[in-house]
Amino acid sequence: MVFERNELKVMKEEKYYRRAYSLLNELTQAYQFGFDKSKALEFWKYEFAQFVNNSMVSSQKIDALMLSIVITLLGLNKEAIERKEKVKDYNELVIYKDFRELDLRPKDKQKIAEFDALKTRHTAFDNWLSIINCPNTDVSNSDVFRRVRNGLLHANFVLDMEELQTSYTHIKTKSYYEAVILNQNFYQFIFSYFSNVLGMGLNEDDRLFDVKVMNIKNLDDLVEYLRELTIIKIETDIENYDGTNTIGMMFQEKLSKNKVCLSPT
């Protein structure tokens, strides 16, 4: 698992962008007018048929778009969360499905073994990161993670999508940094910290919306809805983030048990 010659690197870069754009374009077409159940089902059937006909290409499209989403979340959320001091340092969170321990195809198992063998040092992120070379000044978890983020945001990477069940991102920044990421575990880590999905990740601030349940049919209904809307902003500090101990998660759990129409974001 070393970097290829320049022409092979360019070919992999082109495949990454083509695959990501292809799936993104399909999603845009499917949901361009909002969610429609029949169209969503039609989209799912189409993608399933594509996977049956060529599972490798379908898997590559998903991996390419997932990596693009992860990079976007890093760019949008990391600095804001650190500026708010929501995390003092990054810790390894629970990986709900550690792909290194799953019953995978022999080729994928072999690739994971190669990934683990690349490590020249151990970090808190061993289940998704193998560092080949890095500066001696990278001491804290934040230092280690910052190198990964910068490598991704500055496009100093190549996506290896040649196996069906696993994929890898090779980061190389000049001559002073090189590492490999096991994507399937890395995605879980990023969503634990930076997701914009309700019930996952950290937010700069927690906001609660006290809303009136109503069916909006026209402009007057919308105006009434907005007038009745109450937004509560809560600023909190989290000493030891474990992936679930946010105030938003607490409210979500409490309110879902009591079925109250108050939803955290």
Side-chain angles (χ1 to χ4, degrees):
M1 295 177 71
V2 296
F3 274 88
E4 303 88 347
R5 295 172 304 169
N6 286 338
E7 59 267 29
L8 292 180
K9 181 174 180 290
V10 170
M11 288 174 62
K12 285 194 173 184
E13 289 175 344
E14 182 178 355
K15 180 186 287 187
Y16 159 61
Y17 289 111
R18 285 183 179 276
R19 295 286 191 261
Y21 176 78
S22 176
L23 183 54
L24 182 60
N25 187 54
E26 290 167 14
L27 284 165
T28 301
Q29 292 296 319
Y31 296 103
Q32 61 180 322
F33 300 114
F35 176 78
D36 179 271
K37 186 176 181 179
S38 61
K39 289 185 178 180
L41 182 59
E42 182 181 337
F43 170 74
W44 184 89
K45 288 180 178 178
Y46 170 80
E47 291 299 332
F48 182 76
Q50 293 295 305
F51 182 83
V52 171
N53 292 329
N54 195 328
S55 55
M56 181 58 75
V57 170
S58 291
S59 178
Q60 289 174 349
K61 286 161 61 176
I62 293 171
D63 267 317
L65 185 57
M66 280 290 290
L67 182 61
S68 299
I69 292 170
V70 161
I71 294 172
T72 301
L73 290 174
L74 276 172
L76 290 174
N77 295 341
K78 178 179 178 293
E79 290 185 358
I81 290 171
E82 289 182 347
R83 187 168 57 248
K84 284 281 187 175
E85 296 187 336
K86 284 296 183 82
V87 288
K88 305 298 182 184
D89 201 1
Y90 291 88
N91 300 305
E92 183 56 275
L93 301 180
V94 174
I95 298 296
Y96 298 103
K97 289 186 178 180
D98 189 340
F99 270 67
R100 298 176 307 159
E101 300 174 358
L102 297 183
D103 186 18
L104 304 174
R105 301 184 319 157
K107 286 185 178 180
D108 286 281
K109 288 183 178 180
Q110 177 61 34
K111 203 69 173 283
I112 287 177
E114 294 174 7
F115 161 79
D116 284 331
L118 289 173
K119 289 182 176 63
T120 58
R121 57 170 292 189
H122 290 285
T123 71
F125 314 120
D126 279 352
N127 61 14
W128 59 263
L129 180 66
S130 283
I131 296 176
I132 300 171
N133 180 41
C134 71
N136 294 329
T137 53
D138 289 359
V139 178
S140 69
N141 293 342
S142 293
D143 294 333
V144 174
F145 187 60
R146 185 179 67 253
R147 296 288 182 194
V148 172
R149 175 187 183 263
N150 289 346
L152 293 173
L153 290 182
H154 297 159
N156 296 322
F157 68 87
V158 173
L159 179 57
D160 179 352
M161 306 180 290
E162 302 311 312
E163 302 302 333
L164 183 61
Q165 296 173 299
T166 57
S167 66
Y168 302 83
T169 301
H170 299 235
I171 297 176
K172 186 174 177 62
T173 306
K174 296 182 179 179
S175 61
Y176 63 83
Y177 185 81
E178 185 173 359
V180 178
I181 294 169
L182 172 56
N183 291 329
Q184 281 64 38
N185 282 352
F186 181 58
Y187 298 156
Q188 297 178 65
F189 174 84
I190 295 300
F191 286 130
S192 294
Y193 274 106
F194 307 117
S195 176
N196 289 330
V197 178
L198 178 65
M200 298 178 66
L202 287 167
N203 300 302
E204 291 181 70
D205 305 296
D206 290 288
R207 288 176 171 82
L208 303 177
F209 294 81
D210 187 1
V211 299
K212 178 180 180 180
V213 179
M214 60 182 295
N215 186 15
I216 301 174
K217 298 180 180 179
N218 50 49
L219 181 58
D220 290 337
D221 289 344
L222 177 59
V223 171
E224 180 184 354
Y225 178 85
L226 293 174
R227 283 176 176 170
E228 295 290 332
L229 173 65
T230 300
I231 303 175
I232 306 169
K233 178 180 175 182
I234 303 174
E235 294 190 10
T236 57
D237 294 323
I238 300 173
E239 289 296 328
N240 295 297
Y241 178 57
D242 64 7
T244 61
N245 58 336
T246 64
I247 192 168
M249 286 289 289
M250 179 190 71
F251 272 103
Q252 181 184 5
E253 181 179 358
K254 296 290 185 182
L255 296 173
S256 63
K257 289 180 179 179
N258 294 285
K259 297 182 180 180
V260 177
C261 185
L262 188 67
S263 58
T265 63

